[in-house]
Structures are given as C-alpha cells and as structure tokens.
Amino acid sequence: MLDKKYNAAEKEAKWLNYWNEEKIYSFKRDDRKVYSIDTPPPTVNGKIHIGHIFSYSQAEMIARYKRLSGYNVFYPFGFDDNGLPSERLVEKEEGKKAHEIGREEFSRLCYETTDRYESEFKNLFSRLGVSTDWKNAYKTVSPSTIKISQASFLDLVDKGHVYHKESPALWCNECLTSIAQAELETKTIKTTFNYVKFTTVEDGEEFIIATTRPELLPAIVCVFVNPSDENRKHLIGKTAHIPVIDVEVPIMADEKVAIDKGTGVVMCCTFGDQTDIEWWKKYNLPLKYIFTDDGHINDTVPNYGGLKIKEARAKIIEDLQNGGYIDHIEDLEHEVQTHERCGHEVEYTVMNQWFIDIMNHKDDFLRIGREIKWYPEYMFARYEEWVNNIAWDWCISRQRYFGVPFPVWYCADCGEAIIANREDLPVNPLVDQPPVDRCPKCGCTNFVPENDVMDTWATSSVTPLINMRYGEEENYEDILKPMSLRANASDIIRTWDFYTIVKSFYHFGMRPWDNVMISGFVMANKGEKISKSKSNSKQEPLEVLNTYSADVVRYWAGSGRLGTDIAFNEETLSRGKKLINKIWNVAKFIEMHLADYEDREFTDYEFIDRWILGKFAIMQDQFLRYLEDYEIGLALNTLEKFFWNFCDNYIEIVKHRLYRPEEFGDIKRYSGQKTIYTLLYRLLQDFSIFFPYITEEIYQELYHQEKSIHLTQIEKIDFDFKDEAVLGDNIVDIISIARGEKTNNNVSLKTPIKTLNISVYSKLKEAIEEAILDFKATLFIENLNVEETESSFEVKSIILDLEDNDN
RNA sequence: GGGCGAUUAGCUCAGUUGGCUAGAGCAUCUGCCUUACAAGCAGAGGGUCGUAGGUUCGAGUCCUACAUCGCCCACCA
C-alpha cells in the first residue's frame, strides 16, 4: 500500500541506497546498442553550485531516456582535480602560496584536498539522482589518467603536432604561469589614456602617441604609422626619440595602424599586446623584455627597476609630466584581458613552452565541427566563430606543480629534448630516469627534467580517451569511437569542446562524438550570471535538495528550453512539488481500484477509455520527438499537460464506473481498470526520466516486474484511437461548460442537472450515445436531450436541480 | 565593432514546417469539503505577441531595418 502522504526525504534515501546495492546503473557489455555520454568532469575547486545541478540534470535525463529506449547506456562520471583550480583551492585553505609550501608537500595536500571534495561531490550528484556507474568514474590526476594524457602527448609528438619553442606566451604574474587564449576573461577597468610627446631625431618634429601603458616605454622597439596616412607618412624612415627613457627607435610603416585611432601613431613594445608580437615577428625587431615573472619591472631598467608594473606606470607618468612630455591625459574605460582563474591582468612573456599546433588545421576543426550535430543548432555558430578567431597555437605548458607532468627530460649540455617511451608511462621526470643513457645528439650523460606540468585542458580534452581506456588491453575503443553525446554548458564550447575536437582529430582523424548538447546558464537574478568569483549564487545545492527533494529540484532543472538561460525560480519549484504530489495521489487512487485487478488481454474498451488512450498516444509521440532533439523541458511540458488532463478529466469521469460496478457492470469497470493500469505504468516510465525516486516507489508498489522501473523499456503503442481523441475532447468541452454553469451558480459540482439540452454533429452524437453512462454520471444528469446538427456543437440549456443542493 | 540569442498576460515561460477565437503556471477575483488529492477542484478577468516596414489569401511564426536586454569574441596605439 502506498502511504497516505509521500515522504520524499525518506523514500529518496531508501531508493538511492537500493540502486547502489542492486547496481541498477552499472555498465556491462551486452548485445544492445551502446549510447555513451561524455560528461563534464566538474572542476574540484570547492563548490558545486546550482548551475551544476541544472546542466548535469539535463544530460542525466538523456541518460535515463536512452536507457528506457533500450540502449545500453555508458554514462561515466569524472572529477577534474588536475591543475590550477585545485592548487588555488589548497593555497586558499592553507593560506600560503605553493612555493612557500614546497613542491612535494603541496602535491600531497592537493591530492588530499581534492579527495575530500570529490566524495562530497559524489554524494551530492548521487543524491540528485545522477544515474552514473561510479565504477567508471575517473579523476584527471590519477595514474591511469596521467598515463593516457601522457600517451596523448607522445602520439601528438610522433605525429608532429607538438613543438617546444621559445616563444611569446600569455603570462599570469599572479599564478606565475603561462596560460592559453581560452583561459582569458575580459574585464572592464578604468584607466587613463596618456598623450605623450615624441620627437624626431632628424628635425625635432613633435608628434604624439596615445597610450594606456606608458610603463612600456622602456620596452619600445619601434614606432609605426600607416603608409597611406597623408598627414604622417613623412615620418616614415625617420628616428623617434623617446622622452624620459632617452632612447631612439626607427619609425616604420605598417598597414595595420588605424589612422583614426588614437593619434594614428603607434609604439611597438615587446610586448604590450598581440599586435606587438606580430610586428616583432614580421619585422624581426629586437626584444626588450622589461617585466619580471611576478609583475615587477626588471632591474636592468634604470629608474624603474624593481617597481611593480602599476607603480612604474604612475612614476613614469609623473616623470613625463615633469619633463613636459604629456600633451594631455584622458580618462578611459576599456576592456583588458585577465586570467579567468584569478582575475589578474595578463602580460606576455617569452620562454620555452610546449605548443600544440592549432593554426594549421583550423579547416579540419571546422569540418569536424560540422559533422557533429549541435543541439541547439545555433550553438555551432559559437564554435565556428571561436575557431575562426583563434590567433595562437595552444600553449599547454604551465609553470605549476599539480598536474600531469610532461614525460620529457632535456640534455644538460645541448638542450635536446628526450621523450619518454610509451611503455614506461606514466612517468614523472622529476623522479624517474630518462629512457636513454646518453643524449642521442651530443652523447653527454647529464639530463635535467622538465619542470612544467600540462594545462588542465590538455587532460580534460582526452575524456573520450579516458572513457575508452585508450591504450589499455581491455578497452572500449570499439564502442566509444565516436561517443554518442557530449553535454556541457555554453561557456566551455571554446575550451572543452574545442580542445576535445582537436585531440580527437589528431589521434583518430575523426569527430569525438556524434552529438553535442549545450545547456544554458543559471542566472543569479534575471540577467545576472552566476559568477565563479563573485559567489552570488544564493542557493546551496544541498540546502535546495533538502528543502524540495531531488525530484522537485529536477523538475526545475528539467524545465525551459535547451541552451536557454534560466533563473532559480521558487515558483517553478512549487509547481514541481504540486506535480509530484498529484502523481502520488493519483497513484493512490489507482492502487485502490486495482486491488482485484488481473492483467489480461482486453480490447473492448469504453469510449472514454479509448479517448484517453488516444490522447496518450498523441502525447507520447510528441514527447519522444522532443527527447530525440534533447529538448527535455518541452518534453516534460508536454507530458505534464497530458497528465493534468488525465487527472482532472479522465479520472473524474471514470471514477463513477470504478466505484459502482453494480450500476455499470464488471466489464465496463474492467475497461477502466485496464486503462488506468496501462496508463499509470506508461506515465511512470515517462516521468521516471525526470523523477527517478517517486516513480520507483510507485512502480515497486504497483508493478515491480523488473528490479527497477529504470530497467524497464518504453514499448511501442499498439492502439490507435485518433478519432476518439478528437470526439472525446468535444465531450470534455461540453462537460466543462456544464461545470461552469454550476460554478457560476455557486453550487457544488455534485448538484444534479435536471435537464441538459445539447445539439451536436452526428459523429459526436454517436460518441455521446456510446459514452452515455459516463457522461451522465460525471455531470449528474437526470435528463439528456441530444439534437443533431450539421457541424459543431452547442449547449442549448442547462437546468440545475438547485433544491436538491440545499439538502 | 563582430557573432549568437532573447523581447508573447502583472510575473515566469510554451507556441514545431505560416492556418480557425494566441496558451500554461503563478498572482488576482468568484465559487465548491466532490468516497485520490484543499499542497485540491470548477470557473472568471487579464495580451494592438518590442517598434516600423515588407512578402502572403492569411504573420506571434518568414524577410529587412531599428530599439532594448543577455552571452561570446575583438578592441590595451
């Protein structure tokens, strides 16, 4: 027997435990088709926020849908505990910087801390009802993952897509590491635009350069004007004298200078921005690098050495002003590039870095991107735009500690890079010996290890390889190449999706997955994104789960259109709560009427039963079509709408027949029983995608043919009652009008109708005659007069038995 | 500046390839204890579908322009 009230907390704990013990979601190879999902390993940086709940739920529902559709679902989970986010977490918890703690101890703390958070994460996601096989869970710093990540590196080395080079790279002087273009976040800051007077050495002509970064004056190597700039092209070929710094640099011509921007004269420093690097390469300019790694001016710079970058800026402006070299200063608000992990402005540095070639294969990445089906389709445009706009190869080395080490040593004499052998992986060059005794180039016997570790994306971009156990003897390469689905939020299209495509193309020459499903964001308030740094997410996932139950939270997470942002909305949650409650109550009602029910072949359905079965068939068709397009929210909406109609109209009509067999006969009652038995089962299956807990509870009480409702399969519909679906709706319309009449008279719906006069088209008349007992019982009709008309229908008059109501 | 999306009832949102009178929930108002459910049920009011043009027999839906909001990118001279 179902309980009178549904106690969500108790039941959810019970079934979660049951699923774990019975291994309901475990993955085993069998002869079914595999549907595989590449799930984002959440970054282990301390907090799961409500946004995770949202986007993971959506992919999870697809896993359940595919399972119900008969697929063998491969749905693993991972934790991204590798790299800078974990390091920052540990630094924050310890209140110390990594270099103060020491490399070895720091790594130990990273492992310990991430382990602790991962078990919390696991509990939270399990609680949410994530139907993953935890046996296949991975971490991005485990030995097996390091092995695969290093193997990926070796494969790319073999294929010539990796190079090691001294090259300008983006540098974060807060995190003390190089970073990749994808890790940049733009930020608006207030600064000043300084108009500095320069002069030509040849004839002392004054010209002005506007700059926001005067501290770069000591790094100036050249001045550019546009060759077609009529007012300034006479400067080309002359020499510029730099005030205060007192150096001379050539004035050159380049088309890239915008005549109307600033003063039309640009200084080129090494390096202030992307264009500087381009010019530096193009014209083979000298290198004057003036910053230290931790954001100071180099000691070699007179007067400014040792100052922080911003201090130097202030001082040089002051010096320029004192010397009369400032024409004027304007306030300016502009966007700067910052490191997304810490929010600090990035600089450029030149050092030895490992790069993956991106620029030479953009066309391939676009082609592969087009082979993948993107849901919603327009998300492909974001990918395409990103690929088209990439300006750098992918710098994968990080001057950090906690991550996948490069399997590389260098010859101490000649610098030749020695790469590990594949069979020795995983290796840590800081501990392990190189695979050769002598440098193959110069023959010396001294080696130094590579200190850098890999970018965290270098590893998370191989999640399909991790999932397929790439390079292992027992692997899933045959079933996961490609995987069926990648699911993630729109913010990591440019990183996770893009880099995974890059790697998959280089390793296998093919797409990593067939489909990509992109979810939107949870907004803190309308139009305000939840920010990692601002922590403006007011809803703690665990608290929300405790308050509303997992099923209800999933109702919220499953609503809305795919790819569309959503706000955390109490109203949606209370609507979900009501729906859950209604499911419970109707199940109780149905259980009550199935006490003597035995399932057997039966085709002699009553008209009203055929109506609701026909309505269900139409709904189910739409429902499944939405799910095929990964439109969870629209599918749920369709299902929900049908369900309320089922409760408020069908059940209200059929209940009389169920309660009073003496009046209607056992066969008519059985028809109703069979209908509610069939439909509740099918509804539970559909709802189980969204509400795994309550559907399991009801299924186990009422049906329990399988070990779990989540192991059942949606069967094809073998009935076709399209005509009844339309005619029945018209009958319901008439019922609604008659109910309205009662309501308008402020009387109970039980009030008898003395006489109901209606006129209806002939087919509807036949239907009403067929459904006459149900119809009359539902409205408490004493006398019914049905007139026939050409088309349409009308309620002519309703005479209520008001006296009866007074009793 | 470039790309993408959004704009529909007081609020949150559906509205599929153009097709009868534009829908739902919440909120508001009016009723109803009805042998599952008052956390319920039955009703009512509420919209010139962002603006202006265009295509069409017909436009919330397609096209163009504009406005507002959001996201991503570029912009450090």
Side-chain angles (χ1 to χ4, degrees), chain A residues 356-378:
Chain A
I356 292 178
D357 174 19
I358 299 284
M359 302 302 285
N360 288 319
H361 290 279
K362 282 189 177 191
D363 287 348
D364 292 311
F365 305 142
L366 289 172
R367 179 173 52 79
I368 300 266
R370 259 179 239 115
E371 285 174 15
I372 297 165
K373 284 199 85 173
W374 296 72
Y375 297 90
E377 212 180 328
Y378 62 77

Side-chain angles (χ1 to χ4, degrees), chain A residues 123-163:
Chain A
N123 288 340
L124 193 62
F125 282 113
S126 298
R127 177 84 194 277
L128 182 64
V130 169
S131 59
T132 195
D133 184 353
W134 291 102
K135 212 171 66 253
N136 290 328
Y138 59 84
K139 297 155 65 96
T140 56
V141 284
S142 70
S144 60
T145 303
I146 291 174
K147 186 175 170 184
I148 287 168
S149 189
Q150 290 182 336
S152 159
F153 176 79
L154 294 192
D155 191 42
L156 263 53
V157 170
D158 288 347
K159 290 176 174 159
H161 301 306
V162 173
Y163 61 92

Side-chain angles (χ1 to χ4, degrees), chain A residues 6 18 77 97 140 171 211 351 395 448 620 662 780:
Chain A
Y6 178 66
Y18 175 82
F77 210 88
K97 292 281 180 190
T140 56
W171 179 263
T211 176
M351 58 167 66
C395 174
V448 290
Q620 185 75 354
E662 69 282 2
F780 301 89

